[in-house]
Amino acid sequence: MTTPVRDALADGVPPLTGDVLAIRGGRPLRGRVDVKGAKNLATKAMVASLLGETVSTLRDVPAISDVAVVRSLLEVHGVRVSDGDEPGALVFDPSDVESAHFEEIDAHAGASRIPILFCGPLLHRLGQAFIPDLGGCRIGDRPIDFHLDALRKFGAIVEKLPSGIRLSTGGARLHGANIHLPYPSVGATEQVLLTAVRAEGTTELRNAAIEPEIMDLIAVLQKMGAIISYEPNRVIVIEGVEKLRGYDHRSIFDRNEAASWASAALATDGEIFVGGAKQQEMLTFLNVFRKAGGWFDIQEDGILFRRDGELKPVVVETDVHPGFMTDWQQPLVVALTQANGRSVVHETVYENRLGFTDALVKMGADIVVHPRGLQDGPRRVPRRDLEQAAVITGPTPLHAADIVVPDLRGGYSHVIAALTAEGESRVSGVDILSRGYEKFLTKLDAVGADFDVIR
Ligand SMILES: CC(=O)N[C@H]1[C@@H](OP(=O)(O)OP(=O)(O)OC[C@H]2O[C@@H](n3ccc(=O)[nH]c3=O)[C@H](O)[C@@H]2O)O[C@H](CO)[C@@H](O)[C@@H]1O
Ligand SMILES: C=C(OP(=O)(O)O)C(=O)O
């Protein structure tokens, strides 16, 4: 059954499991979309509320499924979650955490990556934690060894179960630690922050990730009473305190969503104003966007994106902040299929994040993936063992195809490819997009995309 778009969009209905988008492409996307709080901050700030003795308020929380998963996990642990005093605000009351029963936790297995960040807060509050198997995008192995090594250094006892992990403090308070991460992992840095703030003594974290979302989490924790200093060369020092209070915080905007819509404007030769996007957190993206033939205008309340003539090839290396973020590359690759010449995207963060290009090739793109990366040429980022490279030769007209969404950003890029292609494509598995794109169908409609939802 084909549901008329307007009906399907009432209240920004997210795509449901089994929904297929019938997309008629070949026309520019034009209009305005607004981005709210970042998926990669909001979910972590929600976990931080567990550390406080009093109520926390988080503002600009995006209505995405990862937020729903974390909300449900907090509720399982006894946190009362309610609407705040403005749209998009959520209030977290952790006063009943100690008396909660969390037998239903297994039901949350495989839903998101955030459960691993419950370890420190739960160990501080309850002396024990059970963490179900993690979900998130399947873009490589995604081990959690840095997390578990760090937790052991704080004094936690870690037991791996056939599914999930059990942790305990063995009755003692967790203590500060000296931790050097083998790689500046975002999640492991957050793990250390969320654990060290209430550990006894000082923690020194070296080779920390310094993404803007991590800085925003540090701001949240400081509001709660934590003492955290950020020093040169990726060093973060945390002086543990006994108690923390709740916070009132407005989330940093979602720069990954903003970059996705910017690439959509580039790929379809359209013009999209992204309300809520800010320049500082997107400097690296904006440089690449401009080099690829994009034009942007930074305004008070957002950024306007469009093409500036012919698209040009670029060489991009994904990296940790302040490098070009890995979550930005997939939508950009779609635009690069329309650039005049040969682009190279080196994926250095994950070992399997170019699988989405298979569908683009099916649609007519000329993309060759080198699973072990390219050896030649001077590189800004040192090669990692897990590097892959995609060589994209354009411009190639894209044609319609039936495609299945593999993951969050790969899925977004498939939708954009279908909107760039001539003819009607069928894109299935689009419910994954609800993990990170709020009101996705409503926004597609707002920029003039021609599609139907088949439910
Ligand atoms: C919810 C969230 O915030 N997700 C973001 C977070 O993911 P996430 O926090 O999972 O990403 P990490 O920065 O931890 O991962 C980076 C690399 O480190 C490796 N690694 C990580 C932990 C570990 O214990 N062992 C290990 O080997 C990973 O396999 C990967 O190759 O940062 C990524 C990198 O900016 C983004 O793509 C994700 O959107
Ligand atoms: C990889 C991503 O998310 P997660 O870490 O939640 O899977 C992403 O947002 O692109």
Side-chain angles (χ1 to χ4, degrees), residues 5-14 442:
V5 174
R6 306 278 158 200
D7 288 352
L9 297 182
D11 300 323
V13 177
T442 308

Side-chain angles (χ1 to χ4, degrees), residues 105-113 115-116 130-136 144 161-165:
I105 206 156
D106 256 342
H108 295 80
S112 111
R113 299 207 66 69
I116 189 72
F130 170 71
I131 307 300
D133 286 338
L134 303 183
I144 52 168
L161 305 175
S163 69
I165 42 172

Side-chain angles (χ1 to χ4, degrees), residues 354-358 361 367-374 388-391:
L354 293 172
F356 73 98
T357 58
D358 290 350
V361 170
I367 303 177
V368 179
V369 172
H370 299 260
R372 293 180 186 279
L374 297 174
Q388 297 177 285
V391 177

Side-chain angles (χ1 to χ4, degrees), residues 393-412:
T393 309
T396 47
L398 299 183
H399 54 75
D402 290 353
I403 43 186
V404 183
V405 161
D407 59 65
L408 180 57
R409 310 294 164 193
Y412 185 94

Side-chain angles (χ1 to χ4, degrees), residues 40 44 142-147 185-187 325 327 349-350:
N40 290 355
K44 290 59 176 294
R142 308 195 78 176
I144 52 168
D145 49 338
F146 307 163
H147 294 251
S185 148
V186 168
M325 190 162 181
D327 300 1
V349 179
Y350 295 109

Side-chain angles (χ1 to χ4, degrees), residues 39-41 43-44 66 112-114 117 139-148 183-190 209 211 213 255-256 319-321 325-327 348-351 353 384 386 408-409 435:
K39 153 181 165 285
N40 290 355
L41 177 277
T43 44
K44 290 59 176 294
D66 269 27
S112 111
R113 299 207 66 69
I114 308 301
L117 297 179
I139 47 185
D141 272 354
R142 308 195 78 176
I144 52 168
D145 49 338
F146 307 163
H147 294 251
L148 301 185
Y183 180 78
S185 148
V186 168
T189 299
E190 293 161 340
E211 269 62 8
E213 294 78 14
R255 63 199 175 106
N256 296 340
D319 197 4
V320 292
H321 187 78
M325 190 162 181
T326 163
D327 300 1
T348 79
V349 179
Y350 295 109
E351 63 270 54
R353 210 173 191 181
R384 287 183 82 202
L386 46 65
L408 180 57
R409 310 294 164 193
R435 285 196 54 223

Side-chain angles (χ1 to χ4, degrees), residues 69-84:
V69 169
V70 178
R71 176 182 180 150
S72 170
L73 263 173
L74 286 170
E75 286 171 339
V76 164
H77 285 100
V79 178
R80 280 196 299 269
V81 186
S82 54
D83 287 339

Side-chain angles (χ1 to χ4, degrees), residues 96-119:
D96 287 341
V97 170
E98 275 76 11
S99 52
H101 300 278
F102 41 92
E103 291 82 13
E104 312 129 58
I105 206 156
D106 256 342
H108 295 80
S112 111
R113 299 207 66 69
I114 308 301
I116 189 72
L117 297 179
F118 277 69
C119 294

